[in-house]
Amino acid sequence: MPAPSHITRLDGRTIIKLSGADRVKFLQGLVTADIASVQPGQAVWAACLTPQGRWQADFFAISDPDDTCLLLDCATEQAEALRTQLMRFRLRSDVQMELTALSIYAAWGNRPDAAVLENAICIADPRLPNAGWRLIDPPPGTEQNATELDYDLHRLALGLPDGVQDCEPGRTLAAEANMDLLGGIAWKKGCYMGQEVTARMHYRTLLKRRLMPIASTAPLPAPGAPILHGTQEVGILRSSRDHIGLALLKVDMADKTLTCLDHNVVARPPAWLLPALGTPPEPTTTAD
């Protein structure tokens, strides 16, 4: 039986609208993803990095189905700073940027019903097939049968980071947030801010830490709590809900005994993450 459809409004998200003839070329040279490859009605996950390859902001870049603009689905608390940052590089490019009041919903499980799809921009989350969809500006009164807490639990179980909760500005590397494994980094598109460091870490396999899901029998503490292996600090807790969360953890600690504030925790890396930890994915089994 297919999974039920879940839908909730994401009040902490904002759409920045980019219009103008140079919008794709302009954004292509600034962010990690290949904006030029995005077809109308599709999205890509992208980030702005510092020259040292550290995370500043991330967003979904959505190509409007009518191919008239790009819609950047970003955290509301970063929206104005992101727009200002991008505007600094506009120079003579034919690009206009504005903050909008368009609403954003998340849906997962079954695809939303036809009435919602007909009146909204519906974009598949580009990171994982089972991540769900983003709905841009569905009709007023669209029925919600889930909460933002439910969505948070859904993304944490999949191991999907939320930038403002899971990344530290000026410190977190794009690959530490698994952007290299979830389609957020294009390796052949050419230069962008922070590209040299990002490529060097990738090709020389220098990465020591990654975000990965963890689980505990006790409710997890606030972000910033240390993850220990014995007395050695091997990671730090980022976002969490109830008994599951994401921790920035040393890659060789995924199968070790870990604690967080004296509670046992267990790393639960999903199948898509295992090869990056040096572990082959478990074989797929089917029911008789």
Side-chain angles (χ1 to χ4, degrees):
M1 179 179 295
S5 178
H6 303 284
I7 183 169
T8 186
R9 179 167 178 161
L10 302 178
D11 290 323
R13 306 291 293 185
T14 290
I15 293 290
I16 303 174
K17 180 180 178 181
L18 270 67
S19 55
D22 296 333
R23 64 188 183 277
V24 173
K25 179 181 178 181
F26 165 77
L27 198 59
Q28 179 79 338
L30 295 176
V31 303
T32 57
D34 187 359
I35 304 300
S37 70
V38 183
Q39 299 299 308
Q42 295 182 347
V44 69
W45 186 35
C48 289
L49 306 179
T50 68
Q52 295 76 34
R54 309 287 174 165
W55 179 90
Q56 289 184 298
D58 68 284
F59 49 85
F60 296 105
I62 299 164
S63 180
D64 176 70
D66 296 327
D67 199 20
T68 60
C69 63
L70 290 170
L71 304 174
L72 308 188
D73 168 357
C74 66
T76 298
E77 65 188 82
Q78 288 197 308
E80 180 56 44
L82 177 59
R83 189 189 74 86
T84 300
Q85 177 184 350
L86 293 175
M87 286 286 284
R88 290 203 301 266
F89 296 96
R90 186 177 64 169
L91 302 177
R92 296 182 181 179
S93 299
D94 180 8
V95 177
Q96 295 80 46
M97 284 174 256
E98 60 178 308
L99 300 181
T100 75
L102 297 174
S103 58
I104 305 171
Y105 286 63
W108 65 101
N110 270 351
R111 190 174 175 84
D113 62 43
V116 174
L117 297 177
E118 184 178 354
N119 295 285
I121 299 174
C122 181
I123 304 294
D125 188 317
R127 296 173 294 181
L128 291 174
N130 53 348
W133 299 266
R134 313 293 279 197
L135 304 177
I136 310 300
D137 207 32
T142 295
E143 183 179 355
Q144 302 178 61
N145 59 5
T147 66
E148 288 194 73
L149 169 60
D150 296 324
Y151 177 71
D152 225 19
L153 290 169
H154 168 69
R155 68 148 187 106
L156 287 168
L158 293 176
L160 298 176
D162 177 88
V164 295
Q165 297 187 72
D166 295 310
C167 300
E168 294 183 85
R171 296 193 64 181
T172 301
L173 294 165
E176 287 180 334
N178 297 318
M179 296 196 75
D180 57 331
L181 306 177
L182 295 168
I185 300 174
W187 302 109
K188 299 180 180 180
K189 62 167 256 183
C191 294
Y192 56 86
M193 188 78 74
Q195 182 264 346
E196 183 178 353
V197 173
T198 302
R200 185 166 64 247
M201 297 294 292
H202 174 70
Y203 290 113
R204 296 184 182 179
T205 60
L206 300 174
L207 199 67
K208 296 181 179 179
R209 305 185 301 173
R210 285 187 181 269
L211 283 170
M212 65 183 76
I214 62 170
S216 172
T217 55
L220 289 164
I227 308 294
L228 303 180
H229 174 54
T231 59
Q232 177 189 9
E233 184 173 328
V234 296
I236 187 169
L237 180 66
R238 302 308 302 166
S239 64
S240 65
R241 291 283 187 180
D242 299 333
H243 298 263
I244 64 172
L246 286 179
L248 187 59
L249 193 64
K250 288 185 177 181
V251 295
D252 59 352
M253 288 288 132
D255 59 349
K256 300 297 191 294
T257 301
L258 305 172
T259 60
C260 183
L261 297 188
D262 297 325
H263 293 292
N264 290 332
V265 297
V266 179
R268 299 290 191 197
W272 57 263
L273 180 55
L274 291 178
L277 305 179
T279 306
E282 295 180 3
T284 302
T285 58
T286 55
D288 293 335

